[in-house]
Amino acid sequence: MDWQFVFSQALTQAIGPTMLVYALGAIGLNLQFGYTGLLNFGQAAFAAMGAYGLAMAVVAFDLPFWWGIAIGLAAAVVMALLLGIPTLRLRADYLAIVTIAAAEIVRRLARATVWSDTTGGSDGMRGFSEPFFEMNPWPPDATWEFLFVSMDSGRLVIDFGIFSLQYSNRDLWVMTVGWALVLFFLGIMALLVHSPWGRVLKGIREDEEAVRSLGKNVFAYKMQALVFGGIIGAVAGFIFALSRANVQPDTFTTDFTFYFYVVLILGGAARIFGPVLGAALFWFLYNLLSQGLIQAVRAEVIPQGMLSTTQIGPLVFFLLGLGMVLLLIYRPQGLIGNRKELMLDVR
Amino acid sequence: MLLSAALAGLLLCLGVSSNATAQEALGVHGTLDDQQDQPVAGVSITVTDANGTEIATVVTAEDGTWAVPLETEGDYVVILDESTLPEGLVVRNCKPRLEVPISSDRTALFPLDTQTDGCTPGESPTGDDSPTSDAGGDPGDESSETDDSDAADDAAADEVSEVEGEGGATRAISLLVSGLHFGLMIALAAVGLSMVFGTTGLTNFAHGDLVTFGGIMALLFNITFGVPVWLAAIAAVILGGAFGWAQDWGLWARLRRKGIGLVSMMIISIGVAMLIRFATLFFVGGERERYDQYVGQKPWDFGWLVITPKEVVTGGIALAVCILVGCALLFTRLGKATRAVADNPSLAASTGIDVNQVIRLVWTIGGALAAMSGVFLSISDGVKFDMGQHLLLLVFAAVVLGGLGTAFGAFVGSMIIGVFVQMSTLVIAPELKYVGALVVLIIIMLSRPQGILGRRERIG
Amino acid sequence: MSDKERSDNERSDTAPTEKAPAEQAAETAPPAGGTPAGKAGITAAKAALKDVPPEPGASKPDPILTASGVRRAFGGLVAVDVDHLEVQRGTITALIGPNGAGKTTFFNLLTGFDRPSQGTWEFDGHRANRMRSYQVARAGMVRTFQLTKALTRMSVMDNMLIGAHSQIGERMWAGLFPRLWKRQEAANRERALSLLERFKLIDKRDDYAGELSGGQRKLLEMARALMLEPKMIMLDEPMAGVNPALKQSLLEHIKDLREDGMTVLFVEHDMDMVHEIADWVAVMAAGQLITEGTPDQISADQRVIDAYLGAHHDAAQH
């Protein structure tokens, strides 16, 4: 079997467009969960707000692309306000239940046939991404070569000998924008969490009553964190929708949210670079496992009857879920977290 | 890139994928789902022109989709070959044959269910009397036919909710009864969830998967070992209890001892839910599986109420069990200890109650009740790897409605949610009935966060 | 550091508020630094309370806090039902009473952490009964908790800094521009350092608050409350869970607060401690204010003794 191919694929994906979706979603979650302690179990719904806001504006209402972006962001803000107002004064698990329920409402509404003219129903929507790809500055027919980097009629190949990374012309554009957004939000996060504002958020995570007794309007801070984290979630939704050139309601399930948590905890919550490292590792492992297993079955390294190709998906997810649980139990600080800090969490 | 998109699709959709056909093209397509919104593969669909000349016969794909491209506009007939349907499934409105006027790419829908809505098979229209609404040319206009594609993840009585052509009052009564039945199923799961929350403070996101576990275990005994359903059900409930016990023994008790925070535990519970769900998917597959008995049971028709015997039996048992658990909580020593721990664990511990033992017991009972709920739901609607996950949100709604942590509140909340979900189909599209219940959940949070029976928490 | 810090402190002490006699007296005392030399505060407090009759709801010459008809019921149970209470500015007032007397609930009500069924109160001339907890704190009434609420996974220094009031950088948009708040942050840091020194926590400033002992957490909580430069500080059982060695220094710190011109209201069980530091004592039982007076008057009061014994009797019934 072709280990080189598997490895190259996994590495290509580890910094590719989908990984950026996870990184962005987890950055938003990091602000909400990592720094403020808000249990947002509906990050998928925020991503859906972005993706559907854009798609519906462009496809169903014939609005310009940038209007779609604005509508997606506005939808995420509205949703954060709607969810936050009833729950942010209550105990943490109420927000968890309400957000998980809201995410399910959004998904079911999106796939309902009642208004599928507008939302596309369970088939979703396509045909909104062209304005985005028209802005692509990477020439689609460029061909050049420089050391180990080459461009073959728009397709970028980075050849390291043992393995190589390959990206199509469209991928390149998605990645350019995606990485720029990741760096932009990381920069903002770094400024914010090291400011007095960020200090109040961390205080709220530790003990909101104490922070309230010090004259801080805890509700307002939580709301700001929820809204801004939701906005980043919506941006993740944009990248998700654009990279796939379609939106589908059933991609925005609770599992999607849970992968954001996996990414965040894998990388290390309440660490600026945690989400990016976590996303790269998560998506690398996922691709390595699934590609490896698919290749192994094809090459009959794994005997035929033992594992069918349709079982590979569940198996990989089982392994990732298991890894997540073990990680939370034995290394809750993730890759770059601070063990000492976490040991103090005993309350 | 295509590969990554495909992978993302594999990752995220788990069986649902986009329509592959170009939208502008002329043709007819659709997605075949069963009443639980699960794709049905391997069903033959034939398209003929108005004269009956066959144009194409296709077989639905893994994700239930099918499509037939056409070259000219005009009237066509789409026929679903009922003999190729999986066992237990029928076309609910008895219309496996649809007339479709084609002027663009259109959708043709066949609502599938475990039994028909009372129509007579074979009576299907042959053309002249069937307006295009049957064909689903415009999916937006016909929620009544496509509804259950999603909304019917629940078990209980969709068959009843689909009774048509009768008076509104009759329909309301049928919905009320099916709602009560569904409420009892929710209650079985909710009581356990609520007791675990009450005694440990943990919001267990894996509780829904204990429901699935029960359904799967009964399936294992019934199909693989050939045991009759009633015996398989008992075995599943026992195993469910054992599973609850083992989870607490092997995982949660250890985490509590380790002093892991509740928030971490909550996330771990989501991980556990995933583990159970994907293990099920791995071993059982993504299809809806049915037991070999009671699948297409003939309902009793009282004129004012149509109900299947299996509903009466499972509902009766569930009610009896709920009453039993309630009495046990009120009158037995262990029950009192449980309530004491829920009230104040440290105080309970200081009065000589072994808190860990009480929690272990709560997990065991919770697991058994959830398994029972799973078996009963599966008898009505079959087993699927994510059935518990969908039920869980309604269970949450019920528990929050009744007041977090109170077993009696959970029961009352469950009945309200069950009835609400079913009765709401009188006014809203059935596919949105879950949405209605979840919206109610959020409204309750807003107005009365302690639940209808809960006490306002005292600060300090 | 000391010069700059001192001038900082002086500035904060002479904050533009109307000057109560006690406050003026405090200014003549040496500025913060923990020297027990200044006794002006206690003298002023004693003088002010000299002519107040020892009866529940007695009016004081210059009350900073005036509460009337405060009632809080949980279901059928009335936890607090206080007709009238005034707290004299610049004094240390103790709120005592048997377990379940409603002291902490009353505290929560006054500080906005709980909502009353009915009742009004004024703090420093402003209606305070509709304020939320953070507004109460901003108005100058800061509380501590019975179970200390140190922000465990933050450093001691961050615990202090979060207490500082009206920080520009606590606005979200301003957080993005360090230039806007760097200078204020540095000033707050200076002030935090001087407070940490006064509370003998200076060596711990870079440790996590979660690593401190119980008594040190109490000290940190008090120091953090002072970062708000409050007019009145409410201590909920400041001695609970503090080892005897630390108790004495904690007492001294509380006395210093009065010398700095602050009003202190604290909940306590321990009569000895109340005797040592309180200028005035209010006694609650079964939710009601049963009497007030100086510590000497209170320990001689038969009603108080009855209340304590009666409470035991009540408790047995529950």
Side-chain angles (χ1 to χ4, degrees), chain A residues 22 171 248 255 258 311 317, chain B residues 1 11 18 274 277 282:
Chain A
Y22 284 107
D171 277 0
Q248 279 171 352
D255 289 347
F258 183 64
Q311 284 179 310
F317 285 114
Chain B
M1 178 55 215
L11 170 63
S18 67
M274 270 181 78
R277 197 150 69 238
F282 182 79

Side-chain angles (χ1 to χ4, degrees), chain B residues 342-424:
Chain B
D343 214 35
N344 186 339
S346 48
L347 192 66
S350 68
T351 55
I353 294 172
D354 184 342
V355 173
N356 270 318
Q357 201 161 1
V358 167
I359 292 174
R360 186 73 44 89
L361 180 79
V362 163
W363 269 99
T364 311
I365 293 175
L369 293 181
M372 184 183 285
S373 170
V375 175
F376 288 174
L377 288 173
S378 309
I379 288 175
S380 296
D381 271 312
V383 196
K384 214 172 137 253
F385 75 102
D386 62 356
M387 62 186 278
Q389 187 193 11
H390 291 298
L391 189 72
L392 182 70
L393 286 172
L394 291 186
V395 175
F396 274 147
V399 167
V400 168
L401 186 66
L404 270 175
T406 65
F408 299 106
F411 180 78
V412 176
S414 303
M415 300 313 288
I416 293 175
I417 289 288
V419 171
F420 180 85
V421 164
Q422 295 294 353
M423 298 287 277
S424 66

Side-chain angles (χ1 to χ4, degrees), chain A residues 108, chain B residues 151 153-154 182 390 394 421 430-438:
Chain A
R108 283 175 188 265
Chain B
D153 306 4
D154 69 310
F182 190 35
H390 291 298
L394 291 186
V421 164
E431 67 178 339
L432 294 178
K433 63 184 180 182
Y434 271 34
V435 173
L438 298 177

